[in-house]
Amino acid sequence: MRSHLEFRSAVYADDGAAIAQVLAEHLPHYGFQAQPIIQEDWGWCVPIAHEAFSLWIGCGHYLEYPDGVLCFIEPSRPFVRRWFRRISTIEPVERLADALEAIVEASGEAKHIRWWTDEEVAAG
């Protein structure tokens, strides 16, 4: 399951709010209702309206590169538990991953776009 998207961008690495705002503006075109973005100590959060479980995208500077950006989807696991029930996250997270990648690519401001492997996410 794809959950962490790394890319390089001089524009977005300097201003994490900018990529979060771009995502919030374009996610409705992919069927997702973005809520107002929230500043966190690690970067920016784009909450997504979703009834079954909490769904959001985090955006921040990726310190591996001076112009590195990391966007990550939560939940990043294939299921969550709610009221003693196990709920699959795979379908909405994969649809959100498709939208995230499409928006980042279409921005024209990103290069070296790469999804992390499960091993990299676990080590991260």
Side-chain angles (χ1 to χ4, degrees), residues 10 23 26 34 40 43 51-52 58-59 72-74 80 89 93 97 100 106 110 112 114 117:
L23 292 172
H26 289 89
E40 297 284 354
E51 283 189 34
C59 305
F72 57 96
I73 301 170
E74 284 296 330
V80 294
T89 64
V93 169
L100 171 59
H112 306 290
R114 180 178 83 87
T117 66

Side-chain angles (χ1 to χ4, degrees), residues 25-115:
E25 289 172 9
H26 289 89
L27 283 169
H29 301 294
Y30 296 89
F32 293 98
Q33 173 87 30
Q35 305 296 315
I37 63 173
I38 302 166
Q39 185 173 15
E40 297 284 354
D41 59 351
W42 45 259
W44 294 86
C45 176
V46 183
I48 313 280
H50 191 267
E51 283 189 34
F53 52 85
S54 177
L55 182 64
W56 52 275
I57 300 173
C59 305
H61 183 70
Y62 180 45
L63 298 175
E64 186 74 18
Y65 308 104
D67 59 350
V69 179
L70 181 64
C71 293
F72 57 96
I73 301 170
E74 284 296 330
S76 58
R77 296 189 174 170
F79 70 89
V80 294
R81 292 198 182 275
R82 187 170 183 193
W83 296 104
F84 306 108
R85 289 184 25 231
R86 188 172 151 149
I87 302 170
S88 174
T89 64
I90 296 170
E91 189 273 329
V93 169
E94 280 299 320
R95 281 191 318 105
L96 186 56
D98 288 340
L100 171 59
E101 184 173 357
I103 294 167
V104 167
E105 285 179 346
S107 76
E109 298 294 342
K111 58 185 179 183
H112 306 290
I113 299 169
R114 180 178 83 87
W115 286 100

Side-chain angles (χ1 to χ4, degrees), residues 1-22:
M1 190 165 88
R2 297 173 297 160
S3 62
H4 289 66
L5 182 67
E6 162 194 324
F7 60 95
R8 298 178 69 178
S9 170
V11 173
Y12 298 136
D14 292 334
D15 185 9
I19 187 61
Q21 191 61 44
V22 167

